[in-house]
Short mmCIF file of all heavy atoms in Angstrom, two decimals:
data_model
loop_
_atom_site.label_atom_id
_atom_site.label_comp_id
_atom_site.label_asym_id
_atom_site.label_seq_id
_atom_site.Cartn_x
_atom_site.Cartn_y
_atom_site.Cartn_z
N ILE A 19 0.81 -1.17 0.00
CA ILE A 19 -0.01 -0.05 0.03
C ILE A 19 0.94 1.25 -0.01
O ILE A 19 1.90 1.28 0.77
CB ILE A 19 -0.92 0.04 1.26
CG1 ILE A 19 -1.79 -1.19 1.31
CG2 ILE A 19 -1.76 1.32 1.28
CD1 ILE A 19 -2.56 -1.28 2.58
N ILE A 20 0.60 2.17 -0.81
CA ILE A 20 1.29 3.41 -0.83
C ILE A 20 0.32 4.49 -0.13
O ILE A 20 -0.80 4.62 -0.57
CB ILE A 20 1.67 3.95 -2.25
CG1 ILE A 20 2.65 2.91 -2.90
CG2 ILE A 20 2.22 5.33 -2.23
CD1 ILE A 20 3.03 3.18 -4.24
N CYS A 21 0.89 5.13 0.88
CA CYS A 21 0.04 6.14 1.60
C CYS A 21 0.74 7.53 1.39
O CYS A 21 1.94 7.63 1.56
CB CYS A 21 0.05 5.93 3.11
SG CYS A 21 -0.84 4.39 3.50
N TYR A 22 -0.05 8.55 1.07
CA TYR A 22 0.40 9.92 0.93
C TYR A 22 -0.18 10.66 2.19
O TYR A 22 -1.38 10.71 2.34
CB TYR A 22 0.07 10.50 -0.35
CG TYR A 22 0.70 9.88 -1.56
CD1 TYR A 22 0.02 8.92 -2.33
CD2 TYR A 22 1.99 10.19 -1.82
CE1 TYR A 22 0.58 8.34 -3.35
CE2 TYR A 22 2.60 9.54 -2.92
CZ TYR A 22 1.88 8.68 -3.69
OH TYR A 22 2.44 8.09 -4.76
N ILE A 23 0.67 11.11 3.08
CA ILE A 23 0.18 11.83 4.29
C ILE A 23 0.77 13.20 4.32
O ILE A 23 1.69 13.59 3.65
CB ILE A 23 0.62 10.99 5.51
CG1 ILE A 23 2.14 10.77 5.53
CG2 ILE A 23 -0.07 9.68 5.53
CD1 ILE A 23 2.73 10.21 6.77
N LYS A 24 0.08 13.98 5.19
CA LYS A 24 0.49 15.40 5.31
C LYS A 24 1.49 15.68 6.39
O LYS A 24 2.20 16.59 6.32
CB LYS A 24 -0.76 16.25 5.56
CG LYS A 24 -1.69 16.23 4.34
CD LYS A 24 -2.95 17.07 4.69
CE LYS A 24 -3.93 17.01 3.46
NZ LYS A 24 -5.15 17.76 3.80
N SER A 25 1.48 14.82 7.40
CA SER A 25 2.36 15.08 8.53
C SER A 25 3.84 14.85 8.23
O SER A 25 4.18 14.03 7.42
CB SER A 25 1.98 14.02 9.70
OG SER A 25 0.67 14.31 10.16
N ALA A 26 4.60 15.66 8.88
CA ALA A 26 6.05 15.52 8.77
C ALA A 26 6.64 14.30 9.56
O ALA A 26 6.02 13.88 10.53
CB ALA A 26 6.72 16.75 9.23
N PRO A 27 7.69 13.71 9.09
CA PRO A 27 8.19 12.55 9.73
C PRO A 27 8.99 12.92 10.98
O PRO A 27 10.15 12.72 11.11
CB PRO A 27 9.09 11.85 8.68
CG PRO A 27 9.48 12.98 7.86
CD PRO A 27 8.42 14.00 7.81
N GLU A 28 8.34 13.65 11.82
CA GLU A 28 9.03 14.17 13.02
C GLU A 28 8.24 13.80 14.30
O GLU A 28 7.05 13.91 14.31
CB GLU A 28 9.09 15.70 13.03
CG GLU A 28 9.99 16.23 11.89
CD GLU A 28 9.89 17.75 11.76
OE1 GLU A 28 9.09 18.42 12.38
OE2 GLU A 28 10.69 18.36 10.89
N ARG A 29 8.84 13.33 15.34
CA ARG A 29 8.29 12.99 16.59
C ARG A 29 7.10 11.95 16.47
O ARG A 29 6.10 12.04 17.20
CB ARG A 29 7.74 14.23 17.32
CG ARG A 29 8.81 15.20 17.66
CD ARG A 29 8.37 16.39 18.47
NE ARG A 29 7.24 17.08 17.85
CZ ARG A 29 7.34 18.05 16.98
NH1 ARG A 29 8.58 18.45 16.48
NH2 ARG A 29 6.29 18.63 16.42
N GLY A 30 7.18 11.13 15.37
CA GLY A 30 6.17 10.03 15.15
C GLY A 30 4.84 10.53 14.62
O GLY A 30 3.93 9.79 14.58
N GLN A 31 4.81 11.77 14.18
CA GLN A 31 3.57 12.32 13.59
C GLN A 31 3.14 11.62 12.38
O GLN A 31 1.94 11.28 12.24
CB GLN A 31 3.68 13.82 13.28
CG GLN A 31 3.86 14.68 14.47
CD GLN A 31 4.21 16.20 14.01
OE1 GLN A 31 4.64 16.41 12.98
NE2 GLN A 31 4.05 17.01 15.07
N ALA A 32 4.03 11.30 11.47
CA ALA A 32 3.72 10.47 10.24
C ALA A 32 3.24 9.12 10.63
O ALA A 32 2.19 8.57 10.02
CB ALA A 32 4.90 10.46 9.29
N ASN A 33 3.86 8.45 11.50
CA ASN A 33 3.47 7.11 11.93
C ASN A 33 2.07 7.12 12.51
O ASN A 33 1.24 6.20 12.23
CB ASN A 33 4.40 6.53 12.92
CG ASN A 33 5.78 6.21 12.34
OD1 ASN A 33 5.90 6.12 11.19
ND2 ASN A 33 6.77 6.21 13.24
N THR A 34 1.80 8.15 13.38
CA THR A 34 0.48 8.26 13.95
C THR A 34 -0.60 8.46 12.90
O THR A 34 -1.71 7.93 12.95
CB THR A 34 0.47 9.41 14.90
OG1 THR A 34 1.38 9.23 15.94
CG2 THR A 34 -0.91 9.56 15.60
N GLU A 35 -0.28 9.28 11.91
CA GLU A 35 -1.27 9.55 10.82
C GLU A 35 -1.51 8.22 10.07
O GLU A 35 -2.71 8.02 9.57
CB GLU A 35 -0.77 10.65 9.91
CG GLU A 35 -1.77 11.09 8.92
CD GLU A 35 -1.46 12.26 8.06
OE1 GLU A 35 -0.42 13.03 8.44
OE2 GLU A 35 -2.10 12.46 7.00
N ILE A 36 -0.46 7.45 9.69
CA ILE A 36 -0.66 6.19 9.01
C ILE A 36 -1.56 5.27 9.79
O ILE A 36 -2.47 4.62 9.22
CB ILE A 36 0.71 5.55 8.66
CG1 ILE A 36 1.44 6.40 7.66
CG2 ILE A 36 0.54 4.12 8.19
CD1 ILE A 36 2.85 6.07 7.37
N ILE A 37 -1.31 5.05 11.10
CA ILE A 37 -2.09 4.24 11.90
C ILE A 37 -3.58 4.68 11.94
O ILE A 37 -4.48 3.85 11.68
CB ILE A 37 -1.52 4.18 13.40
CG1 ILE A 37 -0.20 3.49 13.34
CG2 ILE A 37 -2.52 3.59 14.32
CD1 ILE A 37 0.56 3.49 14.64
N LYS A 38 -3.78 6.01 12.08
CA LYS A 38 -5.07 6.50 12.07
C LYS A 38 -5.79 6.20 10.66
O LYS A 38 -6.94 5.88 10.68
CB LYS A 38 -5.04 8.07 12.29
CG LYS A 38 -6.44 8.70 12.43
CD LYS A 38 -6.29 10.21 12.52
CE LYS A 38 -6.34 10.60 13.97
NZ LYS A 38 -6.30 12.07 14.18
N LEU A 39 -5.14 6.44 9.59
CA LEU A 39 -5.63 6.20 8.28
C LEU A 39 -6.03 4.72 8.09
O LEU A 39 -7.20 4.47 7.58
CB LEU A 39 -4.60 6.62 7.21
CG LEU A 39 -5.00 6.37 5.77
CD1 LEU A 39 -6.23 7.13 5.32
CD2 LEU A 39 -3.85 6.61 4.88
N ILE A 40 -5.11 3.83 8.40
CA ILE A 40 -5.50 2.44 8.25
C ILE A 40 -6.65 1.93 9.11
O ILE A 40 -7.54 1.27 8.76
CB ILE A 40 -4.22 1.52 8.45
CG1 ILE A 40 -3.26 1.82 7.36
CG2 ILE A 40 -4.59 0.06 8.60
CD1 ILE A 40 -1.86 1.18 7.48
N ALA A 41 -6.63 2.44 10.33
CA ALA A 41 -7.75 2.15 11.30
C ALA A 41 -9.10 2.66 10.73
O ALA A 41 -10.12 1.91 10.86
CB ALA A 41 -7.50 2.63 12.66
N GLN A 42 -9.06 3.86 10.21
CA GLN A 42 -10.29 4.47 9.65
C GLN A 42 -10.81 3.63 8.45
O GLN A 42 -11.93 3.36 8.35
CB GLN A 42 -10.03 5.90 9.37
CG GLN A 42 -11.19 6.64 8.86
CD GLN A 42 -10.80 8.13 8.46
OE1 GLN A 42 -9.71 8.40 8.17
NE2 GLN A 42 -11.83 8.93 8.57
N LEU A 43 -9.92 3.35 7.55
CA LEU A 43 -10.27 2.56 6.37
C LEU A 43 -10.78 1.15 6.72
O LEU A 43 -11.77 0.71 6.08
CB LEU A 43 -9.07 2.37 5.45
CG LEU A 43 -8.60 3.64 4.68
CD1 LEU A 43 -7.25 3.35 3.97
CD2 LEU A 43 -9.60 4.09 3.71
N CYS A 44 -10.23 0.54 7.67
CA CYS A 44 -10.61 -0.80 8.05
C CYS A 44 -11.77 -0.80 9.08
O CYS A 44 -12.35 -1.93 9.45
CB CYS A 44 -9.49 -1.58 8.61
SG CYS A 44 -8.15 -1.90 7.44
N LYS A 45 -12.17 0.38 9.56
CA LYS A 45 -13.27 0.54 10.57
C LYS A 45 -12.88 -0.27 11.86
O LYS A 45 -13.72 -1.02 12.29
CB LYS A 45 -14.62 0.26 9.94
CG LYS A 45 -14.98 1.14 8.87
CD LYS A 45 -16.33 0.82 8.30
CE LYS A 45 -16.72 1.87 7.24
NZ LYS A 45 -16.82 1.41 5.96
N ILE A 46 -11.69 -0.08 12.32
CA ILE A 46 -11.23 -0.69 13.55
C ILE A 46 -10.67 0.36 14.45
O ILE A 46 -10.37 1.48 13.98
CB ILE A 46 -10.30 -1.89 13.29
CG1 ILE A 46 -9.04 -1.35 12.59
CG2 ILE A 46 -10.94 -2.96 12.52
CD1 ILE A 46 -7.97 -2.39 12.35
N ALA A 47 -10.35 0.05 15.67
CA ALA A 47 -9.81 0.94 16.66
C ALA A 47 -8.33 1.16 16.31
O ALA A 47 -7.65 0.22 15.83
CB ALA A 47 -9.87 0.43 18.01
N GLN A 48 -7.79 2.32 16.52
CA GLN A 48 -6.42 2.65 16.34
C GLN A 48 -5.51 1.75 17.15
O GLN A 48 -4.33 1.41 16.72
CB GLN A 48 -6.10 4.12 16.61
CG GLN A 48 -6.70 5.05 15.66
CD GLN A 48 -6.36 6.44 15.95
OE1 GLN A 48 -5.26 6.78 16.45
NE2 GLN A 48 -7.29 7.46 15.62
N ALA A 49 -5.95 1.27 18.31
CA ALA A 49 -5.19 0.45 19.16
C ALA A 49 -4.95 -1.01 18.51
O ALA A 49 -4.05 -1.67 18.95
CB ALA A 49 -5.89 0.21 20.50
N GLU A 50 -5.70 -1.27 17.51
CA GLU A 50 -5.50 -2.58 16.82
C GLU A 50 -4.55 -2.51 15.66
O GLU A 50 -4.27 -3.54 14.98
CB GLU A 50 -6.97 -3.07 16.28
CG GLU A 50 -8.00 -3.38 17.41
CD GLU A 50 -9.30 -3.75 16.87
OE1 GLU A 50 -9.74 -3.11 15.94
OE2 GLU A 50 -9.89 -4.61 17.52
N VAL A 51 -3.99 -1.31 15.49
CA VAL A 51 -3.01 -1.20 14.38
C VAL A 51 -1.78 -0.68 14.96
O VAL A 51 -1.66 0.27 15.79
CB VAL A 51 -3.51 -0.03 13.26
CG1 VAL A 51 -2.51 0.09 12.21
CG2 VAL A 51 -4.93 -0.50 12.78
N SER A 52 -0.66 -1.24 14.51
CA SER A 52 0.66 -0.80 15.05
C SER A 52 1.68 -0.95 13.91
O SER A 52 1.46 -1.60 12.95
CB SER A 52 1.06 -1.70 16.21
OG SER A 52 1.22 -2.99 15.91
N ILE A 53 2.82 -0.31 14.12
CA ILE A 53 3.90 -0.38 13.15
C ILE A 53 4.86 -1.47 13.66
O ILE A 53 5.50 -1.31 14.68
CB ILE A 53 4.61 0.98 12.89
CG1 ILE A 53 3.62 1.95 12.38
CG2 ILE A 53 5.86 0.80 12.03
CD1 ILE A 53 4.11 3.22 12.04
N ALA A 54 4.95 -2.63 12.91
CA ALA A 54 5.71 -3.74 13.34
C ALA A 54 7.20 -3.54 12.99
O ALA A 54 8.06 -3.94 13.83
CB ALA A 54 5.24 -4.97 12.68
N LYS A 55 7.48 -2.80 11.96
CA LYS A 55 8.87 -2.66 11.45
C LYS A 55 8.93 -1.37 10.62
O LYS A 55 8.06 -1.10 9.88
CB LYS A 55 9.35 -3.88 10.66
CG LYS A 55 10.75 -3.95 10.32
CD LYS A 55 11.14 -5.24 9.67
CE LYS A 55 12.64 -5.25 9.47
NZ LYS A 55 13.12 -6.50 8.82
N GLY A 56 10.02 -0.67 10.87
CA GLY A 56 10.28 0.49 10.01
C GLY A 56 9.67 1.77 10.53
O GLY A 56 9.41 2.71 9.74
N SER A 57 9.59 1.94 11.81
CA SER A 57 9.03 3.13 12.38
C SER A 57 9.83 4.44 12.11
O SER A 57 9.33 5.49 12.05
CB SER A 57 8.80 3.05 13.87
OG SER A 57 10.06 2.89 14.57
N LEU A 58 11.16 4.23 11.75
CA LEU A 58 12.01 5.31 11.36
C LEU A 58 12.30 5.37 9.88
O LEU A 58 12.99 6.22 9.49
CB LEU A 58 13.30 5.27 12.20
CG LEU A 58 13.22 5.31 13.76
CD1 LEU A 58 14.53 5.29 14.35
CD2 LEU A 58 12.55 6.60 14.08
N SER A 59 11.71 4.45 9.20
CA SER A 59 11.92 4.33 7.79
C SER A 59 10.72 4.78 6.94
O SER A 59 9.58 4.83 7.50
CB SER A 59 12.27 2.89 7.43
OG SER A 59 12.34 2.65 6.04
N ARG A 60 10.96 5.05 5.65
CA ARG A 60 9.75 5.40 4.86
C ARG A 60 8.92 4.05 4.42
O ARG A 60 7.82 4.20 4.12
CB ARG A 60 10.15 6.25 3.63
CG ARG A 60 10.66 5.55 2.47
CD ARG A 60 11.06 6.46 1.36
NE ARG A 60 9.98 7.38 0.96
CZ ARG A 60 10.10 8.57 0.53
NH1 ARG A 60 11.24 9.13 0.39
NH2 ARG A 60 9.07 9.30 0.16
N ASN A 61 9.67 2.96 4.49
CA ASN A 61 8.90 1.69 4.26
C ASN A 61 8.60 1.07 5.58
O ASN A 61 9.56 0.88 6.42
CB ASN A 61 9.84 0.71 3.42
CG ASN A 61 10.20 1.29 2.02
OD1 ASN A 61 9.26 1.86 1.38
ND2 ASN A 61 11.37 1.14 1.61
N LYS A 62 7.39 0.67 5.76
CA LYS A 62 6.90 0.18 7.07
C LYS A 62 6.21 -1.12 6.88
O LYS A 62 5.63 -1.45 5.86
CB LYS A 62 6.03 1.13 7.69
CG LYS A 62 6.67 2.49 7.89
CD LYS A 62 5.78 3.55 8.49
CE LYS A 62 6.36 4.91 8.56
NZ LYS A 62 7.69 4.96 9.01
N ARG A 63 6.21 -1.91 7.94
CA ARG A 63 5.45 -3.12 8.04
C ARG A 63 4.30 -2.90 9.10
O ARG A 63 4.70 -2.65 10.24
CB ARG A 63 6.25 -4.37 8.41
CG ARG A 63 5.45 -5.68 8.34
CD ARG A 63 6.37 -6.80 8.46
NE ARG A 63 7.19 -6.80 7.25
CZ ARG A 63 7.65 -7.89 6.63
NH1 ARG A 63 7.38 -9.07 7.18
NH2 ARG A 63 8.38 -7.85 5.59
N ILE A 64 3.11 -3.07 8.69
CA ILE A 64 2.00 -2.64 9.55
C ILE A 64 1.37 -4.03 10.14
O ILE A 64 1.25 -4.97 9.43
CB ILE A 64 0.89 -1.95 8.88
CG1 ILE A 64 1.47 -0.67 8.19
CG2 ILE A 64 -0.21 -1.52 9.79
CD1 ILE A 64 2.03 0.38 9.13
N HIS A 65 1.15 -4.02 11.48
CA HIS A 65 0.54 -5.16 12.08
C HIS A 65 -0.94 -4.74 12.42
O HIS A 65 -1.22 -3.74 13.13
CB HIS A 65 1.25 -5.57 13.32
CG HIS A 65 0.61 -6.69 14.07
ND1 HIS A 65 0.72 -7.99 13.66
CD2 HIS A 65 0.01 -6.78 15.21
CE1 HIS A 65 0.04 -8.78 14.44
NE2 HIS A 65 -0.36 -8.00 15.48
N VAL A 66 -1.93 -5.60 12.09
CA VAL A 66 -3.27 -5.33 12.40
C VAL A 66 -3.79 -6.53 13.20
O VAL A 66 -3.80 -7.66 12.85
CB VAL A 66 -4.20 -5.23 11.14
CG1 VAL A 66 -5.69 -5.01 11.46
CG2 VAL A 66 -3.69 -4.07 10.23
N ASP A 67 -4.17 -6.22 14.51
CA ASP A 67 -4.56 -7.29 15.47
C ASP A 67 -6.04 -7.04 15.74
O ASP A 67 -6.34 -6.25 16.59
CB ASP A 67 -3.74 -7.14 16.71
CG ASP A 67 -4.04 -8.30 17.72
OD1 ASP A 67 -4.63 -9.31 17.24
OD2 ASP A 67 -3.67 -8.18 18.85
N THR A 68 -6.88 -7.72 14.99
CA THR A 68 -8.36 -7.51 15.10
C THR A 68 -9.05 -8.86 14.94
O THR A 68 -8.47 -9.81 14.50
CB THR A 68 -8.87 -6.53 14.05
OG1 THR A 68 -10.20 -6.22 14.27
CG2 THR A 68 -8.62 -7.01 12.68
N LYS A 69 -10.32 -8.84 15.26
CA LYS A 69 -11.16 -10.09 15.19
C LYS A 69 -11.73 -10.16 13.75
O LYS A 69 -12.32 -11.19 13.38
CB LYS A 69 -12.25 -10.10 16.19
CG LYS A 69 -11.77 -10.23 17.62
CD LYS A 69 -12.88 -10.34 18.62
CE LYS A 69 -12.12 -10.46 19.99
NZ LYS A 69 -13.14 -11.00 21.01
N ARG A 70 -11.54 -9.12 12.94
CA ARG A 70 -12.04 -9.11 11.53
C ARG A 70 -11.17 -10.12 10.78
O ARG A 70 -10.01 -10.19 11.10
CB ARG A 70 -12.04 -7.71 10.96
CG ARG A 70 -13.05 -6.84 11.69
CD ARG A 70 -13.10 -5.48 11.03
NE ARG A 70 -13.77 -5.56 9.74
CZ ARG A 70 -13.76 -4.64 8.91
NH1 ARG A 70 -13.22 -3.49 9.12
NH2 ARG A 70 -14.37 -4.81 7.69
N SER A 71 -11.76 -10.67 9.78
CA SER A 71 -11.00 -11.63 9.00
C SER A 71 -9.99 -10.95 8.08
O SER A 71 -10.14 -9.78 7.77
CB SER A 71 -11.91 -12.53 8.07
OG SER A 71 -12.48 -11.71 7.14
N GLN A 72 -9.00 -11.70 7.68
CA GLN A 72 -8.05 -11.22 6.70
C GLN A 72 -8.70 -10.72 5.44
O GLN A 72 -8.39 -9.60 4.86
CB GLN A 72 -6.95 -12.19 6.40
CG GLN A 72 -5.89 -11.68 5.43
CD GLN A 72 -4.87 -12.79 5.08
OE1 GLN A 72 -4.97 -13.94 5.55
NE2 GLN A 72 -3.97 -12.49 4.21
N GLU A 73 -9.71 -11.43 5.03
CA GLU A 73 -10.42 -11.02 3.77
C GLU A 73 -11.17 -9.69 3.99
O GLU A 73 -11.13 -8.80 3.05
CB GLU A 73 -11.44 -12.04 3.40
CG GLU A 73 -12.13 -11.88 2.07
CD GLU A 73 -13.05 -12.99 1.74
OE1 GLU A 73 -12.56 -14.09 1.47
OE2 GLU A 73 -14.26 -12.78 1.61
N GLU A 74 -11.71 -9.42 5.11
CA GLU A 74 -12.35 -8.18 5.43
C GLU A 74 -11.44 -7.05 5.45
O GLU A 74 -11.72 -5.96 4.89
CB GLU A 74 -13.09 -8.24 6.76
CG GLU A 74 -14.31 -9.10 6.79
CD GLU A 74 -14.99 -9.20 8.13
OE1 GLU A 74 -14.21 -9.52 9.19
OE2 GLU A 74 -16.11 -8.88 8.26
N ILE A 75 -10.26 -7.19 6.01
CA ILE A 75 -9.22 -6.16 5.98
C ILE A 75 -8.70 -5.85 4.63
O ILE A 75 -8.54 -4.74 4.24
CB ILE A 75 -7.97 -6.55 6.93
CG1 ILE A 75 -8.50 -6.72 8.39
CG2 ILE A 75 -6.93 -5.55 6.92
CD1 ILE A 75 -9.10 -5.53 9.02
N LEU A 76 -8.39 -6.90 3.86
CA LEU A 76 -7.98 -6.66 2.43
C LEU A 76 -8.97 -5.98 1.63
O LEU A 76 -8.70 -5.13 0.79
CB LEU A 76 -7.57 -8.03 1.83
CG LEU A 76 -6.33 -8.71 2.42
CD1 LEU A 76 -6.13 -10.03 1.78
CD2 LEU A 76 -5.11 -7.85 2.36
N LEU A 77 -10.29 -6.38 1.82
CA LEU A 77 -11.37 -5.72 1.07
C LEU A 77 -11.50 -4.23 1.48
O LEU A 77 -11.62 -3.39 0.61
CB LEU A 77 -12.67 -6.45 1.39
CG LEU A 77 -13.89 -5.93 0.67
CD1 LEU A 77 -13.74 -6.18 -0.87
CD2 LEU A 77 -15.17 -6.68 1.05
N ALA A 78 -11.39 -3.97 2.77
CA ALA A 78 -11.45 -2.56 3.20
C ALA A 78 -10.36 -1.74 2.74
O ALA A 78 -10.47 -0.52 2.38
CB ALA A 78 -11.46 -2.45 4.78
N LEU A 79 -9.15 -2.30 2.51
CA LEU A 79 -8.00 -1.52 2.01
C LEU A 79 -7.98 -1.47 0.45
O LEU A 79 -7.17 -0.86 -0.08
CB LEU A 79 -6.70 -2.16 2.55
CG LEU A 79 -6.49 -2.05 3.97
CD1 LEU A 79 -5.30 -2.79 4.46
CD2 LEU A 79 -6.42 -0.60 4.52
N GLY A 80 -8.85 -2.29 -0.20
CA GLY A 80 -8.88 -2.29 -1.64
C GLY A 80 -7.95 -3.31 -2.25
O GLY A 80 -7.85 -3.34 -3.52
N ILE A 81 -7.26 -4.08 -1.47
CA ILE A 81 -6.30 -5.03 -1.97
C ILE A 81 -6.95 -6.26 -2.56
O ILE A 81 -6.45 -6.66 -3.65
CB ILE A 81 -5.24 -5.39 -0.85
CG1 ILE A 81 -4.53 -4.13 -0.38
CG2 ILE A 81 -4.31 -6.54 -1.32
CD1 ILE A 81 -3.73 -4.36 0.87
N LEU A 82 -7.99 -6.64 -2.04
CA LEU A 82 -8.74 -7.89 -2.41
C LEU A 82 -9.27 -7.71 -3.89
O LEU A 82 -9.14 -8.49 -4.68
CB LEU A 82 -9.83 -8.19 -1.52
CG LEU A 82 -10.43 -9.63 -1.69
CD1 LEU A 82 -9.42 -10.72 -1.53
CD2 LEU A 82 -11.62 -9.83 -0.69
N LYS A 83 -9.74 -6.46 -4.13
CA LYS A 83 -10.30 -6.07 -5.42
C LYS A 83 -9.16 -6.17 -6.42
O LYS A 83 -9.32 -6.61 -7.58
CB LYS A 83 -10.89 -4.68 -5.40
CG LYS A 83 -11.55 -4.28 -6.72
CD LYS A 83 -12.17 -2.96 -6.61
CE LYS A 83 -12.88 -2.60 -7.88
NZ LYS A 83 -13.50 -1.24 -7.73
N GLN A 84 -7.97 -5.66 -6.13
CA GLN A 84 -6.82 -5.73 -7.01
C GLN A 84 -6.37 -7.05 -7.32
O GLN A 84 -6.12 -7.39 -8.43
CB GLN A 84 -5.69 -4.83 -6.38
CG GLN A 84 -5.99 -3.34 -6.34
CD GLN A 84 -4.88 -2.60 -5.77
OE1 GLN A 84 -3.77 -3.12 -5.67
NE2 GLN A 84 -5.19 -1.40 -5.28
N LEU A 85 -6.32 -8.02 -6.23
CA LEU A 85 -5.94 -9.30 -6.43
C LEU A 85 -6.90 -10.09 -7.36
O LEU A 85 -6.46 -10.91 -8.07
CB LEU A 85 -5.83 -10.05 -5.11
CG LEU A 85 -4.67 -9.57 -4.21
CD1 LEU A 85 -4.72 -10.23 -2.84
CD2 LEU A 85 -3.34 -9.88 -4.84
N ASN A 86 -8.12 -9.85 -7.23
CA ASN A 86 -9.17 -10.55 -8.07
C ASN A 86 -9.13 -10.08 -9.42
O ASN A 86 -9.73 -10.75 -10.32
CB ASN A 86 -10.58 -10.30 -7.40
CG ASN A 86 -10.81 -11.01 -6.04
OD1 ASN A 86 -10.08 -11.97 -5.86
ND2 ASN A 86 -11.62 -10.52 -5.26
N MET A 87 -8.50 -8.96 -9.86
CA MET A 87 -8.42 -8.54 -11.17
C MET A 87 -7.59 -9.57 -12.10
O MET A 87 -7.84 -9.64 -13.25
CB MET A 87 -7.74 -7.24 -11.30
CG MET A 87 -8.60 -6.10 -10.74
SD MET A 87 -7.62 -4.46 -10.65
CE MET A 87 -7.13 -4.34 -12.40
N PHE A 88 -6.73 -10.37 -11.41
CA PHE A 88 -5.81 -11.28 -12.10
C PHE A 88 -6.40 -12.70 -12.13
O PHE A 88 -5.65 -13.60 -12.62
CB PHE A 88 -4.43 -11.15 -11.52
CG PHE A 88 -3.90 -9.73 -11.70
CD1 PHE A 88 -3.80 -8.98 -10.51
CD2 PHE A 88 -3.48 -9.24 -12.84
CE1 PHE A 88 -3.27 -7.72 -10.62
CE2 PHE A 88 -2.98 -8.04 -12.94
CZ PHE A 88 -2.88 -7.22 -11.85
N ASP A 89 -7.55 -12.93 -11.58
CA ASP A 89 -8.07 -14.29 -11.50
C ASP A 89 -8.73 -14.67 -12.91
O ASP A 89 -9.20 -13.85 -13.71
CB ASP A 89 -9.15 -14.45 -10.41
CG ASP A 89 -8.41 -14.50 -9.07
OD1 ASP A 89 -7.21 -14.81 -9.06
OD2 ASP A 89 -9.09 -14.26 -8.08
#
């Protein structure tokens, strides 16, 4: 996923904005989203810990639709 955000990469503002964006798109709490790797890098690995299924998360992010284009 490529995210374009407005916050500067200072004092974790950009990371917070990314977490907020993903939580909003997936309709889950921000506490269920964390940055697993790359908190100081522009490339990040996001961890989503929720009871929603993987398919629901991929659908909410638009990834499932993209994957189905190639079936």
Side-chain angles (χ1 to χ4, degrees):
I19 299 173
I20 297 175
C21 296
Y22 295 98
I23 56 173
K24 295 179 182 179
S25 297
E28 299 170 353
R29 298 182 308 273
Q31 292 174 344
N33 292 338
T34 302
E35 188 174 345
I36 290 170
I37 289 171
K38 184 185 265 187
L39 174 66
I40 291 173
Q42 184 179 25
L43 289 171
C44 295
K45 296 182 176 112
I46 58 176
Q48 289 181 33
E50 296 176 318
V51 181
S52 62
I53 297 180
K55 189 173 182 179
S57 62
L58 298 177
S59 171
R60 82 181 304 148
N61 296 319
K62 301 175 185 320
R63 184 170 295 214
I64 305 297
H65 178 74
V66 178
D67 185 17
T68 184
K69 293 184 181 195
R70 295 183 71 189
S71 70
Q72 180 180 0
E73 186 175 296
E74 289 176 306
I75 297 298
L76 294 176
L77 184 63
L79 295 173
I81 296 171
L82 194 60
K83 184 177 180 181
Q84 292 177 22
L85 291 174
N86 289 335
M87 290 174 57
F88 300 105
D89 287 342

